[in-house]
């Protein structure tokens, strides 16, 4: 009997875990992100295939998606705040998956009857199909943004209860799921498209989203039933929060009542609403989204974690990531697809290490110090990227004008035969020099070594800021604040694409690297200001878990205005 007791307890604990709300959230998130990663990878390939191996449709799609989130992020977040949790989650889930299914069916029709559609009305039917695909796919992305805000930024907080360590573990697990699906999902759909066809790939993704939608819907309902707190949304509550804020509790009771002064404009507007219906005009209702947008940005600016959120956004202004920019540069430096796939795998492993390091460092040093340590680690690794700019094999040459090709196209100039002949001669000379070819890999090797190593600090820092927002934003503001945060991230991401457009040649990439590292440094300087204002000189001191609890209760973060 002595042996049967522990075994029974172990079995019960395993059963309880697999039926717990935490595990069900992980399962739903894994299914959701798997579908998202497959679609995001495939839609770019599909658009290139449809438009004759041109990047035009892909570029238009990327611009529409980024611009939509930038403009509508706060409005989406406000909608998340003002509606019941289950309704928001179910609506965004249904809209997202339905739009992907519609896109998949549209793309299957276009792939199957492209030639016939091209002949109808001088190709306008085909153009309309392109517009429909991009528009519906953009709606799917906006719904995905709403899903991410409500599940990852709100439901996770409620399920974690008032346990900050549980919240940190859940955030880290969600991020590990993101990393794994980011590798495995594109590999799966890529193999299907390679051994089958784009038509089969569209059908597979549409079918996957149909099945996944049903399973995710059931998982959301089960989590909602297992967590009664999800049914009690804070709404207009000002004093009650689901996690202890970093600002001192005493200030919430004494003095000038910070909860009144910290009340965002959106809440004030909602308090005026009951008496205003008779005075509302058509113009008032039309301009309401603009007022919501303004109120959301003002509320974000007045948050005590404003500098921390801005520091995270500044990390998006960089070419030092595994996106199409860095991949394109790697190709110009002689790296093939096989090497790049290995580097992407190493980057994902580094990201997973960063999430694991986050939970360990947070327990040892506290949440705010974890961000400071992570930022320092990231910047230290990015020094390798700066060194690569001046290392042997670097194509840096600022004497080459990045606008030369643009000017030649605008002026209608063509390359002279002599210039073309000299260019071919230079290419042949380069390929015929194995020693120089070997030396050229020093720069790109240092670049990717720095990028991969910096992922550890990057993901740990991202998790730190995410949890700071979760713990310090009022329940009634979580949606709009996270919506504005997403908008800020997309804004800086757009700026980095504009920066590349202004300097697209490989000779100027080194300059882009230096600018990117400068923006990352500025972001971490902002976070240092936030951390020093919160902890003062204690920022540089290690502390025990008991002292961390005292710091959380006594940290003097500035309250919202």
């Amino acid at each position: 009997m002595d042996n049967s007791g522990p075994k029974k307890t172990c079995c019960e604990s395993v059963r309880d875990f697999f039926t717990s709300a935490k595990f069900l959230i992980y399962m739903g998130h894994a299914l959701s992100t798997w579908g998202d990663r497959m679609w995001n990878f495939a839609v770019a390939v599909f658009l290139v295939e449809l438009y004759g191996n041109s990047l035009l449709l892909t570029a238009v799609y990327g611009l529409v998606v980024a611009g939509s989130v930038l403009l509508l992020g706060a409005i989406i977040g406000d909608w998340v705040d003002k509606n019941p949790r289950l309704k928001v989650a179910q609506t965004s889930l249904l809209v997202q998956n339905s739009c992907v299914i519609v896109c998949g069916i549209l793309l299957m029709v276009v792939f199957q009857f492209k030639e016939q559609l091209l002949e109808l009305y001088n190709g306008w039917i085909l153009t309309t199909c392109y517009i429909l695909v991009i528009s519906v796919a953009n709606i799917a992305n906006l719904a995905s943004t709403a899903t991410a805000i409500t599940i990852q930024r709100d439901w996770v907080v409620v399920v974690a209860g008032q346990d900050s360590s549980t919240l940190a573990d859940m955030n880290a697990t969600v991020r590990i799921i993101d990393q794994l699906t980011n590798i495995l999902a594109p590999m799966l759909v890529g193999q299907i498209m390679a051994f089958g066809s784009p038509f089969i790939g569209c059908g597979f993704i549409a079918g996957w989203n149909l099945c996944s939608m049903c399973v995710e819907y059931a998982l959301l309902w089960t989590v909602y039933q297992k967590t009664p707190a999800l049914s009690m949304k804070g709404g207009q509550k000002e004093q009650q929060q689901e996690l202890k804020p970093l600002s001192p509790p005493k200030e919430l009771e004494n003095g000038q009542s910070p909860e009144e002064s910290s009340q965002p404009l959106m809440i004030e507007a909602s308090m005026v609403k009951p008496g205003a219906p008779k005075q509302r005009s058509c113009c008032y209702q039309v301009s309401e989204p603009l007022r919501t947008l303004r109120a959301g940005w003002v509320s974000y600016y007045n948050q005590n974690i404003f500098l921390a959120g801005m520091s995270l956004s500044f990390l998006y202004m960089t070419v030092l990531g595994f996106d199409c920019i860095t991949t394109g540069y790697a190709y110009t430096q002689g790296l093939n697809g096989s090497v790049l796939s290995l580097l992407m795998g190493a980057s994902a492993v580094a990201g997973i290490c960063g999430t694991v390091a986050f939970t360990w460092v947070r327990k040892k040093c506290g949440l705010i110090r974890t961000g400071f340590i992570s930022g320092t680690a990231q910047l230290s690794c990015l020094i390798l990227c700066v060194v690569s700019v001046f290392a042997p094999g670097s194509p840096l040459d600022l004497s080459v004008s990045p606008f030369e090709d643009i000017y030649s196209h605008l002026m209608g100039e063509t390359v002279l035969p002599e210039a073309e002949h000299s260019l071919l001669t230079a290419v042949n000379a380069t390929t015929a020099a194995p020693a120089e070819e070997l030396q050229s890999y020093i720069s790109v090797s240092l670049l990717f070594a720095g990028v991969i190593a910096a992922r550890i600090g990057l993901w740990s820092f991202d998790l730190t800021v995410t949890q700071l927002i979760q713990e310090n934003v009022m329940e009634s503001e979580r949606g709009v604040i996270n919506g504005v945060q997403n908008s800020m991230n997309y804004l800086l991401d757009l700026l980095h694409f504009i920066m590349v457009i202004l300097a697209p040649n490989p000779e100027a990439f080194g300059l882009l690297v230096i600018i990117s590292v400068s923006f990352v440094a500025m972001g971490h300087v902002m976070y240092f200001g936030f951390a020093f204002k919160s902890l003062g000189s204690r920022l540089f001191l290690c502390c025990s878990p008991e002292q961390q609890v005292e710091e959380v209760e006594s940290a003097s973060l500035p309250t919202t205005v």
Side-chain angles (χ1 to χ4, degrees):
M1 294 182 63
D2 294 337
N3 295 333
S4 61
K7 288 184 180 178
K8 185 177 180 181
T9 304
C10 181
C11 293
E12 287 180 350
S13 62
V14 171
R15 183 195 62 189
D16 291 343
F17 173 74
F18 283 108
T19 57
S20 65
K22 284 201 307 183
F23 180 77
L24 296 178
I25 277 190
Y26 297 153
M27 285 292 297
H29 181 68
L31 289 172
S32 178
T33 53
W34 187 279
D36 284 348
R37 298 301 184 270
M38 284 199 305
W39 171 247
N40 291 334
F41 171 81
V43 68
V45 178
F46 292 153
L47 292 176
V48 171
E49 286 279 344
L50 287 175
Y51 209 69
N53 293 325
S54 171
L55 294 175
L56 177 62
L57 285 181
T58 305
V60 171
Y61 171 70
L63 181 63
V64 169
V65 165
S68 298
V69 177
L70 177 61
L71 294 175
L72 302 177
I75 297 175
I76 292 173
D78 183 66
W79 174 75
V80 171
D81 286 333
K82 291 181 177 179
N83 290 276
R85 287 189 173 101
L86 186 61
K87 176 184 176 182
V88 170
Q90 291 178 337
T91 302
S92 56
L93 173 67
L94 292 174
V95 171
Q96 176 190 358
N97 287 275
S98 299
C99 288
V100 173
I101 293 170
V102 170
C103 277
I105 295 173
L106 274 174
L107 288 170
M108 291 173 69
V109 172
V110 173
F111 277 120
Q112 190 70 17
F113 305 103
K114 183 178 180 181
E115 294 182 0
Q116 293 88 329
L117 293 173
L118 189 59
E119 296 174 357
L120 291 175
Y121 300 99
N122 296 322
W124 280 105
I125 298 296
L126 185 60
T127 303
T128 303
C129 290
Y130 292 158
I131 295 174
L132 283 175
V133 167
I134 293 176
S135 301
V136 178
N138 181 49
I139 296 173
N141 183 74
L142 292 175
S144 177
T145 301
T147 302
I149 291 175
T150 188
I151 301 298
Q152 299 180 37
R153 302 295 185 261
D154 186 29
W155 283 46
V156 169
V157 180
V158 178
V159 171
Q162 297 190 4
D163 191 339
S164 185
S165 296
T166 301
L167 178 60
D169 292 338
M170 291 187 68
N171 285 332
T173 303
V174 166
R175 196 53 49 86
I176 290 175
I177 293 172
D178 289 341
Q179 292 289 332
L180 292 176
T181 54
N182 201 30
I183 303 173
L184 300 177
M187 288 176 58
L188 174 63
V189 72
Q191 295 301 314
I192 293 173
M193 294 168 60
F195 291 99
S197 65
F199 180 85
I200 296 176
C202 292
F204 176 79
I205 291 176
W208 172 275
N209 278 270
L210 179 61
C211 298
S212 176
M213 176 175 62
C214 300
V215 177
E216 288 178 58
Y217 195 95
L219 290 173
L220 285 175
W221 175 257
T222 306
V223 172
Y224 187 79
Q225 294 297 319
K226 285 180 173 290
T227 313
L230 288 172
S231 62
M232 298 180 291
K233 198 164 187 178
Q236 301 299 326
K237 287 189 299 183
E238 301 168 8
Q239 298 179 359
Q240 184 179 358
Q241 297 188 37
E242 291 162 350
L243 287 172
K244 279 191 294 186
L246 295 181
S247 52
K250 294 181 180 178
E251 292 182 3
L252 298 179
E253 300 175 357
N254 303 328
Q256 46 182 319
S257 185
E259 64 270 7
E260 293 180 4
S261 63
S262 66
Q263 201 171 2
L265 295 182
M266 54 175 287
I267 295 181
E268 292 178 3
S270 66
M271 294 176 64
V272 179
K273 274 186 179 179
K278 295 182 180 180
Q279 301 178 359
R280 284 184 179 180
S281 62
C282 181
C283 294
Y284 180 91
Q285 295 178 355
V286 170
S287 63
E288 187 172 359
L290 296 178
R291 292 194 303 276
T292 301
L293 181 66
R294 176 185 177 277
W297 283 87
V298 170
S299 179
Y300 177 78
Y301 173 77
N302 289 330
Q303 291 294 317
N304 50 19
I305 42 80
F306 168 71
L307 285 177
M310 284 293 295
S311 67
L312 179 62
S313 298
F314 266 60
L315 304 192
Y316 282 78
M317 177 66 176
T318 177
V319 295
L320 302 175
F322 280 91
D323 56 5
C324 55
I325 305 300
T326 312
T327 303
Y329 174 76
Y331 271 111
T332 66
Q333 299 306 297
L335 299 184
N336 56 33
S338 176
V339 174
L340 280 174
S341 64
L342 293 175
L343 292 175
M344 291 183 68
S347 172
V349 172
I352 293 174
C353 292
T355 60
V356 175
F358 162 75
T359 58
W360 184 81
V361 176
R362 191 201 66 83
K363 291 178 182 177
K364 297 292 183 181
C365 304
L367 185 60
I368 296 179
R369 287 190 189 85
T370 300
F372 177 70
I373 294 171
S374 302
T376 303
Q378 184 189 7
L379 273 178
S380 300
C381 294
L382 290 180
I383 292 176
L384 288 175
C385 299
V386 177
V387 173
S388 72
V389 175
F390 308 99
S394 172
L396 180 66
D397 186 0
L398 297 182
S399 63
V400 178
S401 172
F403 307 103
E404 185 174 352
D405 293 337
I406 299 176
Y407 290 155
S408 64
H409 284 297
L410 290 176
M411 301 300 295
E413 297 176 2
T414 58
V415 180
L416 296 176
E418 295 82 5
E420 185 177 357
H421 180 274
S422 62
L423 179 61
L424 292 174
T425 304
V427 170
N428 292 331
T430 303
T431 56
E436 294 180 5
E437 206 171 290
L438 182 62
Q439 185 186 35
S440 67
Y441 288 113
I442 296 177
S443 175
V444 72
S445 298
L446 287 172
L447 175 69
F448 279 95
V451 170
I452 292 173
R455 307 294 278 188
I456 299 175
L458 171 64
W459 286 111
S460 179
F461 183 80
D462 178 82
L463 284 168
T464 299
V465 176
T466 297
Q467 186 159 342
L468 282 170
I469 294 175
Q470 290 172 329
E471 293 186 351
N472 290 277
V473 174
M474 292 173 58
E475 179 185 353
S476 58
E477 300 175 0
R478 282 183 194 147
V480 69
I481 297 303
N482 281 286
V484 175
Q485 182 66 50
N486 285 341
S487 297
M488 284 297 305
N489 296 345
Y490 269 94
L491 174 61
L492 272 297
D493 193 46
L494 273 177
L495 291 179
H496 114 265
F497 278 111
I498 294 174
M499 179 176 67
V500 175
I501 291 173
L502 295 177
N505 53 325
E507 292 82 4
F509 190 80
L511 182 60
L512 302 185
V513 169
I514 296 174
I515 294 175
S516 299
V517 175
S518 300
F519 269 85
V520 172
M522 284 190 286
H524 289 305
V525 167
M526 291 181 187
Y527 184 84
F528 175 78
F530 161 81
F532 192 78
K533 188 178 294 185
S534 305
L535 298 179
S537 59
R538 292 174 297 167
L539 174 64
F540 308 102
L541 301 176
C542 292
C543 61
S544 63
E546 293 77 11
Q547 291 173 324
Q548 292 176 29
V549 174
E550 294 178 1
E551 285 182 355
V552 169
E553 294 178 348
S554 62
S556 55
L557 288 181
T559 57
T560 52
V561 179

